[in-house]
Amino acid sequence: SFNWTHPSSGDGSYCAISDGGINYYYSRQQGQLIKTTMDTSGMTSAFVRIDPLMADTTKYGFIAPFVLDPNNNNAVMYLTCGDMIYRNNDLSQIAVTNSYYKTNQNWDSLALTRDSTSEITAIAISKSSPNRLFYGNNKGKIYRVDNANVGNPSPVAISAVTFPSNAYTSCIALDPRDADKILAVFSNYNIYSLYYTDNG
């Protein structure tokens, strides 16, 4: 059998590892987001809380998805906060200081992604088409954001009329070779759950 360690506690949510295992990221309930380093035994050697101080904590879902940019994953992260997305422009500048205080360092809000009538429940970013972000909400809608790495870009609705309106988007998977090939998963009872497009 293989040995597993338990480096932290809390209601587990999303996690990610930057290239080369430089940093490990994990989140807990209501958007608590942690950056850590780990020792050779797999235990946390240092940590810092990094979720944005500017975010409205009442907006977080119990689980707040986040994603590292696959083309720059030691720097850029996108975090969902209820009805809006936040972008960290340089995670590498946030020092691992064993502090559990939130920070605004390098965070920007992508205010044009805000829709107060819905909650963002899934997020993905392309490797083949850099800085192309996709997200879906709890109303069965999916959006694309081009050039998501700069400024405050506008989302483009790419939903199909056949998407279930009574379901939430639980996953968006992108072909790493072609960002126009997308598989979307919707969750609820008695619905068609899987949808695919090859033209974005």
mmCIF file of all heavy atoms in Angstrom, residues 16-45:
data_model
loop_
_atom_site.group_PDB
_atom_site.id
_atom_site.type_symbol
_atom_site.label_atom_id
_atom_site.label_comp_id
_atom_site.label_asym_id
_atom_site.label_seq_id
_atom_site.Cartn_x
_atom_site.Cartn_y
_atom_site.Cartn_z
ATOM 1 N N ALA A 16 -4.673 22.264 -5.953
ATOM 2 C CA ALA A 16 -3.839 22.368 -7.152
ATOM 3 C C ALA A 16 -2.373 22.368 -6.727
ATOM 4 O O ALA A 16 -2.041 22.730 -5.598
ATOM 5 C CB ALA A 16 -4.155 23.647 -7.930
ATOM 6 N N ILE A 17 -1.503 21.969 -7.652
ATOM 7 C CA ILE A 17 -0.055 21.982 -7.419
ATOM 8 C C ILE A 17 0.581 22.731 -8.573
ATOM 9 O O ILE A 17 0.302 22.447 -9.746
ATOM 10 C CB ILE A 17 0.517 20.554 -7.349
ATOM 11 C CG1 ILE A 17 -0.205 19.734 -6.282
ATOM 12 C CG2 ILE A 17 2.017 20.588 -7.079
ATOM 13 C CD1 ILE A 17 0.157 18.257 -6.284
ATOM 14 N N SER A 18 1.459 23.684 -8.261
ATOM 15 C CA SER A 18 2.142 24.428 -9.312
ATOM 16 C C SER A 18 3.263 23.573 -9.910
ATOM 17 O O SER A 18 3.706 22.590 -9.312
ATOM 18 C CB SER A 18 2.705 25.739 -8.767
ATOM 19 O OG SER A 18 3.705 25.489 -7.798
ATOM 20 N N ASP A 19 3.699 23.941 -11.107
ATOM 21 C CA ASP A 19 4.753 23.192 -11.789
ATOM 22 C C ASP A 19 5.982 23.047 -10.895
ATOM 23 O O ASP A 19 6.399 23.999 -10.235
ATOM 24 C CB ASP A 19 5.153 23.898 -13.083
ATOM 25 C CG ASP A 19 4.124 23.693 -14.190
ATOM 26 O OD1 ASP A 19 3.284 22.784 -14.055
ATOM 27 O OD2 ASP A 19 4.161 24.444 -15.175
ATOM 28 N N GLY A 20 6.529 21.855 -10.901
ATOM 29 C CA GLY A 20 7.715 21.595 -10.105
ATOM 30 C C GLY A 20 7.417 21.381 -8.632
ATOM 31 O O GLY A 20 8.352 21.234 -7.832
ATOM 32 N N GLY A 21 6.135 21.368 -8.257
ATOM 33 C CA GLY A 21 5.789 21.179 -6.850
ATOM 34 C C GLY A 21 6.273 22.308 -5.964
ATOM 35 O O GLY A 21 6.514 22.118 -4.775
ATOM 36 N N ILE A 22 6.394 23.501 -6.538
ATOM 37 C CA ILE A 22 6.894 24.646 -5.762
ATOM 38 C C ILE A 22 5.905 25.022 -4.677
ATOM 39 O O ILE A 22 6.272 25.216 -3.517
ATOM 40 C CB ILE A 22 7.171 25.839 -6.701
ATOM 41 C CG1 ILE A 22 8.299 25.485 -7.667
ATOM 42 C CG2 ILE A 22 7.522 27.089 -5.895
ATOM 43 C CD1 ILE A 22 8.492 26.506 -8.778
ATOM 44 N N ASN A 23 4.644 25.119 -5.053
ATOM 45 C CA ASN A 23 3.596 25.471 -4.098
ATOM 46 C C ASN A 23 2.395 24.554 -4.261
ATOM 47 O O ASN A 23 2.108 24.064 -5.357
ATOM 48 C CB ASN A 23 3.155 26.926 -4.269
ATOM 49 C CG ASN A 23 4.248 27.913 -3.908
ATOM 50 O OD1 ASN A 23 4.775 28.605 -4.766
ATOM 51 N ND2 ASN A 23 4.610 27.974 -2.637
ATOM 52 N N TYR A 24 1.693 24.361 -3.168
ATOM 53 C CA TYR A 24 0.475 23.577 -3.129
ATOM 54 C C TYR A 24 -0.655 24.510 -2.686
ATOM 55 O O TYR A 24 -0.460 25.331 -1.787
ATOM 56 C CB TYR A 24 0.610 22.419 -2.140
ATOM 57 C CG TYR A 24 1.668 21.415 -2.528
ATOM 58 C CD1 TYR A 24 3.023 21.711 -2.388
ATOM 59 C CD2 TYR A 24 1.319 20.176 -3.042
ATOM 60 C CE1 TYR A 24 3.994 20.792 -2.754
ATOM 61 C CE2 TYR A 24 2.281 19.248 -3.400
ATOM 62 C CZ TYR A 24 3.623 19.560 -3.256
ATOM 63 O OH TYR A 24 4.586 18.656 -3.616
ATOM 64 N N TYR A 25 -1.806 24.372 -3.323
ATOM 65 C CA TYR A 25 -2.950 25.222 -3.006
ATOM 66 C C TYR A 25 -4.137 24.335 -2.651
ATOM 67 O O TYR A 25 -4.377 23.320 -3.303
ATOM 68 C CB TYR A 25 -3.318 26.098 -4.205
ATOM 69 C CG TYR A 25 -2.213 27.032 -4.620
ATOM 70 C CD1 TYR A 25 -1.254 26.630 -5.544
ATOM 71 C CD2 TYR A 25 -2.122 28.318 -4.082
ATOM 72 C CE1 TYR A 25 -0.223 27.480 -5.912
ATOM 73 C CE2 TYR A 25 -1.098 29.176 -4.454
ATOM 74 C CZ TYR A 25 -0.145 28.749 -5.366
ATOM 75 O OH TYR A 25 0.856 29.593 -5.726
ATOM 76 N N TYR A 26 -4.861 24.707 -1.633
ATOM 77 C CA TYR A 26 -6.097 24.010 -1.322
ATOM 78 C C TYR A 26 -7.071 24.994 -0.699
ATOM 79 O O TYR A 26 -6.688 26.036 -0.176
ATOM 80 C CB TYR A 26 -5.864 22.813 -0.404
ATOM 81 C CG TYR A 26 -5.236 23.126 0.929
ATOM 82 C CD1 TYR A 26 -6.009 23.527 2.013
ATOM 83 C CD2 TYR A 26 -3.863 23.010 1.107
ATOM 84 C CE1 TYR A 26 -5.433 23.809 3.239
ATOM 85 C CE2 TYR A 26 -3.276 23.293 2.328
ATOM 86 C CZ TYR A 26 -4.066 23.690 3.395
ATOM 87 O OH TYR A 26 -3.493 23.979 4.603
ATOM 88 N N SER A 27 -8.345 24.640 -0.791
ATOM 89 C CA SER A 27 -9.359 25.529 -0.237
ATOM 90 C C SER A 27 -10.249 24.763 0.718
ATOM 91 O O SER A 27 -10.362 23.535 0.660
ATOM 92 C CB SER A 27 -10.182 26.187 -1.348
ATOM 93 O OG SER A 27 -10.795 25.225 -2.169
ATOM 94 N N ARG A 28 -10.856 25.536 1.585
ATOM 95 C CA ARG A 28 -11.811 25.025 2.567
ATOM 96 C C ARG A 28 -13.154 25.684 2.310
ATOM 97 O O ARG A 28 -13.319 26.437 1.360
ATOM 98 C CB ARG A 28 -11.320 25.345 3.987
ATOM 99 C CG ARG A 28 -10.001 24.699 4.334
ATOM 100 C CD ARG A 28 -9.467 25.206 5.656
ATOM 101 N NE ARG A 28 -8.277 24.471 6.058
ATOM 102 C CZ ARG A 28 -7.359 24.943 6.876
ATOM 103 N NH1 ARG A 28 -7.487 26.159 7.385
ATOM 104 N NH2 ARG A 28 -6.311 24.214 7.204
ATOM 105 N N GLN A 29 -14.093 25.427 3.194
ATOM 106 C CA GLN A 29 -15.441 25.953 3.037
ATOM 107 C C GLN A 29 -15.434 27.493 2.938
ATOM 108 O O GLN A 29 -14.589 28.158 3.487
ATOM 109 C CB GLN A 29 -16.333 25.508 4.205
ATOM 110 C CG GLN A 29 -15.947 26.056 5.560
ATOM 111 C CD GLN A 29 -14.856 25.279 6.270
ATOM 112 O OE1 GLN A 29 -14.212 24.422 5.690
ATOM 113 N NE2 GLN A 29 -14.642 25.585 7.538
ATOM 114 N N GLN A 30 -16.429 28.014 2.192
ATOM 115 C CA GLN A 30 -16.645 29.450 2.016
ATOM 116 C C GLN A 30 -15.398 30.212 1.541
ATOM 117 O O GLN A 30 -15.104 31.303 2.001
ATOM 118 C CB GLN A 30 -17.185 30.093 3.296
ATOM 119 C CG GLN A 30 -18.683 29.991 3.455
ATOM 120 C CD GLN A 30 -19.103 28.713 4.162
ATOM 121 O OE1 GLN A 30 -18.440 28.268 5.091
ATOM 122 N NE2 GLN A 30 -20.201 28.138 3.726
ATOM 123 N N GLY A 31 -14.668 29.619 0.617
ATOM 124 C CA GLY A 31 -13.606 30.348 -0.063
ATOM 125 C C GLY A 31 -12.297 30.513 0.673
ATOM 126 O O GLY A 31 -11.435 31.261 0.214
ATOM 127 N N GLN A 32 -12.107 29.854 1.803
ATOM 128 C CA GLN A 32 -10.814 29.938 2.487
ATOM 129 C C GLN A 32 -9.759 29.253 1.618
ATOM 130 O O GLN A 32 -9.860 28.060 1.346
ATOM 131 C CB GLN A 32 -10.885 29.271 3.854
ATOM 132 C CG GLN A 32 -11.877 29.922 4.801
ATOM 133 C CD GLN A 32 -11.990 29.135 6.087
ATOM 134 O OE1 GLN A 32 -11.039 29.070 6.867
ATOM 135 N NE2 GLN A 32 -13.141 28.520 6.307
ATOM 136 N N LEU A 33 -8.768 30.010 1.185
ATOM 137 C CA LEU A 33 -7.805 29.543 0.195
ATOM 138 C C LEU A 33 -6.393 29.643 0.769
ATOM 139 O O LEU A 33 -5.992 30.701 1.260
ATOM 140 C CB LEU A 33 -7.941 30.394 -1.070
ATOM 141 C CG LEU A 33 -7.090 30.070 -2.274
ATOM 142 C CD1 LEU A 33 -7.280 28.627 -2.723
ATOM 143 C CD2 LEU A 33 -7.437 31.019 -3.415
ATOM 144 N N ILE A 34 -5.649 28.549 0.708
ATOM 145 C CA ILE A 34 -4.349 28.449 1.355
ATOM 146 C C ILE A 34 -3.273 28.128 0.324
ATOM 147 O O ILE A 34 -3.454 27.263 -0.538
ATOM 148 C CB ILE A 34 -4.345 27.336 2.430
ATOM 149 C CG1 ILE A 34 -5.606 27.387 3.293
ATOM 150 C CG2 ILE A 34 -3.075 27.405 3.280
ATOM 151 C CD1 ILE A 34 -5.786 28.619 4.098
ATOM 152 N N LYS A 35 -2.140 28.804 0.432
ATOM 153 C CA LYS A 35 -0.927 28.489 -0.330
ATOM 154 C C LYS A 35 0.070 27.873 0.645
ATOM 155 O O LYS A 35 0.286 28.415 1.732
ATOM 156 C CB LYS A 35 -0.352 29.767 -0.943
ATOM 157 C CG LYS A 35 1.006 29.609 -1.606
ATOM 158 C CD LYS A 35 1.516 30.968 -2.096
ATOM 159 C CE LYS A 35 2.897 30.875 -2.684
ATOM 160 N NZ LYS A 35 3.393 32.210 -3.141
ATOM 161 N N THR A 36 0.662 26.736 0.289
ATOM 162 C CA THR A 36 1.589 26.078 1.196
ATOM 163 C C THR A 36 2.844 25.609 0.478
ATOM 164 O O THR A 36 2.876 25.502 -0.751
ATOM 165 C CB THR A 36 0.960 24.838 1.876
ATOM 166 O OG1 THR A 36 0.876 23.771 0.919
ATOM 167 C CG2 THR A 36 -0.415 25.127 2.435
ATOM 168 N N THR A 37 3.843 25.315 1.268
ATOM 169 C CA THR A 37 4.975 24.493 0.837
ATOM 170 C C THR A 37 4.909 23.214 1.662
ATOM 171 O O THR A 37 4.322 23.190 2.749
ATOM 172 C CB THR A 37 6.317 25.204 1.060
ATOM 173 O OG1 THR A 37 6.419 25.594 2.445
ATOM 174 C CG2 THR A 37 6.421 26.456 0.188
ATOM 175 N N MET A 38 5.486 22.145 1.127
ATOM 176 C CA MET A 38 5.461 20.870 1.843
ATOM 177 C C MET A 38 6.867 20.296 1.940
ATOM 178 O O MET A 38 7.693 20.497 1.044
ATOM 179 C CB MET A 38 4.538 19.876 1.155
ATOM 180 C CG MET A 38 3.076 20.221 1.296
ATOM 181 S SD MET A 38 2.028 18.854 0.791
ATOM 182 C CE MET A 38 0.421 19.619 0.919
ATOM 183 N N ASP A 39 7.104 19.566 3.033
ATOM 184 C CA ASP A 39 8.398 18.909 3.191
ATOM 185 C C ASP A 39 8.384 17.563 2.474
ATOM 186 O O ASP A 39 7.389 17.173 1.858
ATOM 187 C CB ASP A 39 8.764 18.774 4.675
ATOM 188 C CG ASP A 39 7.787 17.907 5.457
ATOM 189 O OD1 ASP A 39 7.110 17.050 4.842
ATOM 190 O OD2 ASP A 39 7.712 18.072 6.687
ATOM 191 N N THR A 40 9.494 16.848 2.542
ATOM 192 C CA THR A 40 9.622 15.600 1.787
ATOM 193 C C THR A 40 8.699 14.499 2.294
ATOM 194 O O THR A 40 8.457 13.522 1.592
ATOM 195 C CB THR A 40 11.076 15.101 1.830
ATOM 196 O OG1 THR A 40 11.483 14.985 3.205
ATOM 197 C CG2 THR A 40 12.004 16.069 1.102
ATOM 198 N N SER A 41 8.157 14.661 3.495
ATOM 199 C CA SER A 41 7.227 13.665 4.023
ATOM 200 C C SER A 41 5.777 13.980 3.664
ATOM 201 O O SER A 41 4.872 13.243 4.033
ATOM 202 C CB SER A 41 7.375 13.562 5.546
ATOM 203 O OG SER A 41 6.913 14.756 6.164
ATOM 204 N N GLY A 42 5.545 15.092 2.953
ATOM 205 C CA GLY A 42 4.195 15.459 2.546
ATOM 206 C C GLY A 42 3.430 16.255 3.569
ATOM 207 O O GLY A 42 2.214 16.395 3.468
ATOM 208 N N MET A 43 4.135 16.799 4.548
ATOM 209 C CA MET A 43 3.479 17.623 5.560
ATOM 210 C C MET A 43 3.747 19.097 5.271
ATOM 211 O O MET A 43 4.792 19.465 4.712
ATOM 212 C CB MET A 43 3.982 17.268 6.955
ATOM 213 C CG MET A 43 3.637 15.847 7.367
ATOM 214 S SD MET A 43 1.866 15.473 7.332
ATOM 215 C CE MET A 43 1.288 16.506 8.670
ATOM 216 N N THR A 44 2.802 19.954 5.653
ATOM 217 C CA THR A 44 2.936 21.389 5.422
ATOM 218 C C THR A 44 4.134 21.937 6.187
ATOM 219 O O THR A 44 4.235 21.752 7.402
ATOM 220 C CB THR A 44 1.655 22.117 5.861
ATOM 221 O OG1 THR A 44 0.558 21.636 5.082
ATOM 222 C CG2 THR A 44 1.787 23.626 5.685
ATOM 223 N N SER A 45 5.041 22.604 5.467
ATOM 224 C CA SER A 45 6.187 23.224 6.124
ATOM 225 C C SER A 45 5.954 24.713 6.364
ATOM 226 O O SER A 45 6.540 25.285 7.288
ATOM 227 C CB SER A 45 7.458 23.012 5.292
ATOM 228 O OG SER A 45 7.263 23.434 3.956
#
